[in-house]
Amino acid sequence: AQRVTQPEKLLSVFKGAPVELKCNYSYSGSPELFWYVQYSRQRLQLLLRHISRESIKGFTADLNKGETSFHLKKPFAQEEDSAMYYCALGNRDDKIIFGKGTRLHILP
Amino acid sequence: EAGVVQSPRYKIIEKKQPVAFWCNPISGHNTLYWYRQNLGQGPELLIRYENEEAVDDSQLPKDRFSAERLKGVDSTLKIQPAELGDSAVYLCASSDRTGRTGELFFGEGSRLTVL
C-alpha cells in the first residue's frame, strides 16, 4: 500500500533555529517524493522533489530508502517560512498521494 | 498565464442538493487531477485524467460523484445529492508529466459547505 505519514500536525520553531519536518512513506516500488507548501491565502505549490536534489528557499530534503523517510530541513528558520507543508509520494502510475500536513509556525 | 482556474471559489448548499465544480487546467497539460481536502487533512485523490480518459477513479464515490473531461481540456466534478460529509475544499491540479512524474499545479480550490 502507498502511504505517507507526517507525525507532527504543528511545529513551532524560533526564528534562526533549525527546522526539520518529518515525513515517512510506505511504498513497495521506487518512489518519487515531493514537498509541497501552502502559504497563507495562496494555492498549494511544489517546494522541492527528491530527484532534483536541489535547495529551494534554503530547504533541502534527502531520500533515505533504508528508513523510508524524506525529512525536510532548513538550518535557519525565517518568519516567511510559516506555512502548511505537505509531503507527497508519487508512484509509477502517476498516482500522487499526500500526507496530512504539518503547520510550521516560526516564532519571532 | 493564469494557472489552473477553478470555479466557484465558494459554494453553500443544503444537503440533498446538487453541486458542480469546474476546472480549466494550464494550457497543454494533459493530466488533470481532482482532490478533496477535508479540514486539517491533506488532499485526497478523487480522480485522475489523461486527456479525456479517467485512468484512476478508484477513490471516487460513484454513487453520488461524477466527473467528466470532454475534449481533454476543462473538467467538471459533480455531486448529486450532496451530503453533510461532503463539506470540503475541492482542488483541481494539472501536470504535463515531464519525466515520469510531473509537478502538480493546483488551482485555488472550491470550498463547499453543505448545510
Side-chain angles (χ1 to χ4, degrees):
Chain A
Q2 194 175 342
R3 189 169 61 243
V4 176
T5 302
Q6 293 180 251
E8 304 139 327
K9 291 193 71 172
L10 172 66
L11 183 64
S12 295
V13 175
F14 284 102
K15 178 181 173 182
V19 174
E20 182 178 45
L21 299 170
K22 291 184 169 52
C23 172
N24 289 90
Y25 67 91
S26 174
Y27 182 56
S28 57
S30 182
E32 292 208 27
L33 275 300
F34 308 84
W35 277 98
Y36 279 78
V37 61
Q38 187 167 26
Y39 301 103
S40 179
R41 300 187 186 86
Q42 295 188 27
R43 60 186 72 192
L44 194 57
Q45 59 187 285
L46 178 69
L47 179 63
L48 55 79
R49 65 178 87 186
H50 90 272
I51 59 172
S52 299
R53 302 185 67 82
E54 58 192 343
S55 174
I56 303 294
K57 299 184 178 182
F59 285 98
T60 59
D62 291 319
L63 177 60
N64 186 323
K65 291 187 177 181
E67 296 183 358
T68 60
S69 68
F70 188 58
H71 303 328
L72 183 68
K73 300 178 182 179
K74 184 171 182 176
F76 307 104
Q78 298 173 283
E79 289 192 56
E80 53 264 36
D81 295 330
S82 293
M84 280 295 297
Y85 291 81
Y86 296 94
C87 183
L89 168 66
N91 68 5
R92 65 178 72 85
D93 297 322
D94 279 342
K95 181 172 183 175
I96 299 177
I97 65 168
F98 289 80
K100 293 185 177 182
T102 298
R103 179 171 296 282
L104 178 62
H105 183 207
I106 306 302
L107 304 167
Chain B
E1 178 69 76
V4 176
V5 179
Q6 291 188 244
S7 69
R9 290 290 313 281
Y10 304 92
K11 188 74 176 179
I12 301 174
I13 61 173
E14 294 187 344
K15 63 181 181 181
K16 300 185 182 180
Q17 295 299 305
V19 64
F21 305 111
W22 173 80
C23 173
N24 179 240
I26 291 174
S27 177
H29 282 192
N30 57 350
T31 307
L32 184 146
Y33 303 75
W34 281 103
Y35 286 86
R36 176 171 59 188
Q37 187 172 22
N38 292 307
L39 188 64
Q41 303 292 316
E44 298 174 10
L45 180 66
L46 291 174
I47 189 168
R48 175 168 65 90
Y49 283 92
E50 290 292 342
N51 298 304
E52 64 273 10
E53 180 183 1
V55 295
D56 184 355
D57 64 356
S58 58
Q59 303 301 312
L60 190 72
K62 298 181 183 62
D63 56 336
R64 297 182 300 107
F65 286 66
S66 64
E68 60 182 11
R69 192 184 183 196
L70 300 177
K71 301 181 181 179
V73 181
D74 295 0
S75 178
T76 302
L77 177 70
K78 298 178 180 178
I79 309 174
Q80 182 172 11
E83 297 180 352
L84 295 176
D86 296 332
S87 294
V89 177
Y90 291 84
L91 295 169
C92 179
S94 69
S95 169
D96 65 0
R97 291 191 67 190
T98 52
R100 195 180 81 186
T101 306
E103 173 183 353
L104 298 187
F105 292 84
F106 283 87
E108 293 180 293
S110 294
R111 181 179 296 277
L112 173 66
T113 301
V114 182
L115 303 176

